[in-house]
Amino acid sequence: MSVEEAISNIPDEVLDYLVQQRQRERELTIEKDVLKERIKKLQNILKLLEGRDNGLTCTVSGGNIYQQSTVEQVRSSLLANLSISMVLFVKTHRQLVRLQQDLHQDYETVCDNASRIGTTN
């Protein structure tokens, strides 16, 4: 039995499940990359504030909105955002690793079953 015939014997539900899991893997990878970039950006901004007096005022902007704040308040806000982003990054990374392990196991099972079907026919 050829590989194509073995694959054609795999139920559609199993193939649909594997496709859905691959899509979820891509989504988690993108989410992880976005969080990684956010963490890098926050770290770079925090580096700009290193050695600055906490009482100094600074201007924070987002889009067309400008706000006066102190270095201490900005640093505190950035550290809170960094902490949240890191928690989300670790959570996403763990989900991704778990999903990849499950996918690897599922593929092994499907391949084993397909090869057994091929050898019995």
Side-chain angles (χ1 to χ4, degrees), residues 14-15 20 25 31 35 43 72 76 82 94-95 118 120:
V14 172
L15 293 176
Q20 289 172 355
E25 179 185 30
E31 185 178 339
L35 288 166
Q43 288 173 332
E72 182 178 17
S76 175
L82 181 61
R94 286 181 180 161
Q95 289 174 345
T120 59

Side-chain angles (χ1 to χ4, degrees), residues 10-52:
I10 299 171
D12 288 341
E13 296 83 19
V14 172
L15 293 176
D16 290 343
Y17 169 78
L18 292 173
V19 168
Q20 289 172 355
Q21 294 305 310
R22 275 289 180 205
Q23 178 62 32
R24 180 69 180 135
E25 179 185 30
R26 283 189 291 276
E27 291 169 358
L28 286 171
T29 301
I30 291 169
E31 185 178 339
K32 182 180 166 185
D33 290 342
V34 167
L35 288 166
K36 186 185 228 180
E37 288 302 314
R38 182 187 305 167
I39 288 168
K40 285 180 184 177
K41 184 178 178 181
L42 289 167
Q43 288 173 332
N44 288 337
I45 295 171
L46 281 167
K47 282 182 185 177
L48 291 173
L49 296 176
E50 282 181 5
R52 308 261 178 178

Side-chain angles (χ1 to χ4, degrees), residues 74-91:
V74 172
R75 187 179 289 131
S76 175
S77 177
L78 289 171
L79 288 171
N81 284 329
L82 181 61
S83 178
I84 291 168
S85 296
M86 290 182 113
V87 167
L88 292 173
F89 178 85
V90 169
K91 180 181 174 185

